[in-house]
Amino acid sequence: MELSDYARALAAANQALGDIAARRETFWGNPKYLPFDLVKGVCSLTVSQEDIADAAARLERFRPFIQARFPETEETGGLIESPLRPIPAMQRALEDAWGCPIPGRLCLKMDSHLAVARSVKARGGIYEVLKHGEDLALAAGKLRLTDDYACLAGDDMRDFFHQYTIQVGSTGNLGLSIGISGAALGFQVKVHMSADAKQWKKDLLRAHGVQVLEYRDDYSRAVAEGRKASDADPNSYFVDDERSKDLFLGYAVAAGRLEVQLRQQGIPVDAEHPLLVYIPAGVGGAPGGVTYGLKQVFGDNVHCFFTEPVLCPSVLLGFATGRYEKANVHDFGLSGQTEADGLACASPSGFVTRLDENLVSGCFTVRDQRLYDFMGLLHRAEDILIEPSSCAAFIGPAALNTWLRCQQYREAHGLTDRVMAQSTQICWATGGSLVPDKIWAQYLSHC
Ligand SMILES: *Cc1c(COP(=O)(O)O)cnc(C)c1O
């Protein structure tokens, strides 16, 4: 595949973009990264702290419904949240594999095990479905904000929601979260899936009564087709992964919850004890929303990095080229094809790349084979299985401390050896535990 003219010029001028075009792993430090105080005011015009608090309150209201519909949330009273788990054995395994020390405390944020959808999409996707359901029910006079939302699990409400359709374009996991939660309320759900979507994810959706439409093209096409089909039906609502503020808010709520978990585990976060977070990125919504929330809570004491496949670094390109949603991995001669199906988006979200452009610290790219290497290490060291896409997170702690080009970021932001030794590094496990056993066996044969 040929480079476009603009990509050729940028690849010659910028080292990280040169690496991208040459299909080498790289680190891109964000030259537009700014102290949070300088960014806060402008950002909050688009997404404010009140918006995030409103989303958190909505999820609180829905807890009785979630508990009623999803018995696995009985124990948490309808709260869908994942453990934050220290992974010292994985830390040692990474040190051995990379031949360098990984300082601080390494933790795994296990969205791979989130109730209902077993991926980070259980945050944004389910939130948006619930919000849409609430909007419809309120408008029809079938619900009041002060009601016990367990009433939404009744047959009459199911019939009410069944008049409406929700549609979404997905590489897999977003479809699963929208499909499962939409069907739980009673909605008809149509999921438009790209060629990268795994067969087992399609099968699982169909088993939930979801209509799956398949395209031989990439993700952007699936989204475009879904948007078109939905716009043509007045009773249909489209969950727009490339533009949705509600999805973003669902992800952002994670930050306040993480703050509580860190406090409960006695882990300090301040200038002397920074938090470093590594999140795999597809279209950018999940890592973008989580990052946005984390910056609101921890400001400059949190450093957020996105991780993407070498052949599909769309969010990195959206930021680094300044072309936002117009950036495309094909312009850099890349196929966009990757084993990390959850990250296979050729173009990023314009909404997220604009909103987070001064907040994200940088992006790493990682080769597909390493995803399996990380998967095997984690499996052997901690007996935890997460899907290849989410294993991209591990490039962060491994590379930040070894690659020469990451040194500049560390030096510029006071991340000295002493401070790093007191840091907490979190790899965000964005998906995994819904993978069928047969598929795990296939995955593990690559490790
Ligand atoms: C969707 C997904 C991501 C990234 O989320 P985006 O919103 O597409 O950036 C990362 N990992 C997994 C497993 C996912 O399913």
Side-chain angles (χ1 to χ4, degrees):
M1 234 185 263
E2 282 290 297
L3 268 68
S4 71
D5 290 341
Y6 90 87
R8 195 183 308 279
L10 287 173
N14 177 297
Q15 193 184 14
L17 293 177
D19 286 337
I20 298 251
R23 305 169 189 207
R24 282 191 296 264
E25 290 180 323
T26 195
F27 170 71
W28 169 79
N30 182 7
K32 293 188 187 165
Y33 182 74
L34 288 172
F36 186 61
D37 269 348
L38 293 183
V39 195
K40 200 163 55 178
V42 178
C43 282
S44 61
L45 298 175
T46 312
V47 175
S48 67
Q49 221 156 0
E50 289 72 41
D51 292 334
I52 300 174
D54 176 62
R58 182 164 294 104
L59 288 169
E60 281 298 310
R61 288 200 290 280
F62 267 99
R63 282 173 70 163
F65 167 79
I66 293 169
Q67 187 178 351
R69 263 285 176 267
F70 299 104
E72 60 180 318
T73 65
E74 182 73 44
E75 234 174 84
T76 62
L79 184 76
I80 300 175
E81 191 44 71
S82 73
L84 173 70
R85 187 162 139 182
I87 43 171
M90 177 62 174
Q91 191 165 358
R92 282 191 299 276
L94 276 176
E95 287 177 336
D96 288 346
W98 282 65
C100 71
I102 292 183
R105 181 194 334 244
L106 188 66
C107 296
L108 193 66
K109 181 60 179 153
M110 295 175 71
D111 280 7
S112 46
H113 294 65
L114 275 175
V116 183
R118 303 290 184 274
S119 82
V120 68
K121 305 298 192 307
R123 299 185 184 280
I126 294 177
Y127 172 74
E128 181 153 0
V129 166
L130 296 178
K131 172 157 192 303
H132 180 56
E134 184 186 59
D135 287 345
L136 287 173
L138 288 171
K142 293 190 169 292
L143 179 73
R144 281 166 312 184
L145 287 176
T146 48
D147 284 345
D148 177 343
Y149 277 30
C151 69
L152 294 175
D155 285 345
D156 53 327
M157 289 310 293
R158 187 177 250 303
D159 293 344
F160 169 71
F161 289 123
H162 201 67
Q163 311 167 75
Y164 301 96
T165 303
I166 296 181
Q167 307 199 42
V168 63
S170 175
T171 63
N173 286 342
L174 184 61
L176 282 174
S177 90
I178 303 286
I180 296 172
S181 60
L185 275 164
F187 284 112
Q188 301 182 47
V189 185
K190 294 182 183 171
V191 178
H192 302 258
M193 281 194 150
S194 59
D196 308 280
K198 304 279 187 211
Q199 187 60 43
W200 67 265
K201 291 184 182 175
K202 298 177 194 167
D203 296 342
L204 187 60
L205 273 174
R206 291 192 171 113
H208 278 269
V210 171
Q211 193 181 335
V212 178
L213 298 101
E214 305 176 55
Y215 301 93
R216 260 179 300 180
D217 265 301
D218 71 9
Y219 179 67
S220 310
R221 168 85 194 286
V223 172
E225 290 294 331
R227 198 184 280 132
K228 200 164 73 184
S230 186
D231 287 351
D233 176 357
N235 277 342
S236 174
Y237 176 85
F238 187 61
V239 176
D240 199 327
D241 200 12
E242 291 176 342
R243 303 173 188 173
S244 168
K245 180 171 165 179
D246 286 329
L247 271 178
F248 190 83
L249 286 170
Y251 295 125
V253 168
R257 305 216 184 134
L258 181 68
E259 183 187 24
V260 173
Q261 287 181 321
L262 288 164
R263 201 181 311 129
Q264 283 168 346
Q265 296 185 24
I267 299 175
V269 180
D270 53 41
E272 285 288 297
H273 304 83
L275 189 61
L276 295 99
V277 182
Y278 310 96
I279 319 174
V283 76
V290 170
T291 292
Y292 195 88
L294 288 172
K295 295 307 274 190
Q296 301 280 340
V297 174
F298 298 112
D300 297 333
N301 298 327
V302 66
H303 304 261
C304 300
F305 299 90
F306 294 0
T307 65
E308 297 186 288
V310 164
L311 295 183
C312 201
S314 56
V315 181
L316 188 164
L317 290 179
F319 287 131
T321 65
R323 291 170 72 97
Y324 310 111
E325 73 281 355
K326 293 198 183 64
N328 190 306
V329 300
H330 303 149
D331 293 347
F332 279 75
L334 306 177
S335 67
Q337 279 171 5
T338 167
E339 293 295 312
D341 55 325
L343 316 182
C345 308
S347 288
S349 154
F351 176 69
V352 172
T353 44
R354 282 184 181 80
L355 202 51
D356 278 28
E357 73 175 339
N358 306 119
L359 301 177
V360 68
S361 294
C363 303
F364 293 91
T365 62
V366 54
R367 278 188 285 115
D368 273 16
Q369 178 55 45
R370 272 209 221 276
L371 304 178
Y372 290 115
D373 297 343
F374 290 140
M375 173 187 282
L377 283 182
L378 183 69
H379 181 48
R380 288 190 297 273
E382 303 279 353
D383 199 18
I384 298 173
L385 276 172
I386 61 176
E387 65 179 270
S389 298
S390 37
C391 291
F394 291 110
I395 193 66
L400 187 72
N401 302 290
T402 28
W403 291 354
L404 213 52
R405 72 180 44 171
C406 300
Q407 210 171 331
Q408 202 182 345
Y409 182 88
R410 294 206 315 271
E411 283 170 4
H413 298 93
L415 299 174
T416 60
D417 289 349
R418 185 184 62 82
V419 170
M420 282 302 292
Q422 305 174 156
S423 71
T424 298
Q425 306 198 62
I426 298 181
C427 293
W428 212 283
T430 43
S433 59
L434 216 55
V435 175
D437 288 344
K438 200 174 69 192
I439 307 290
W440 280 129
Q442 273 174 30
Y443 283 164
L444 289 168
S445 72
H446 291 281
C447 297

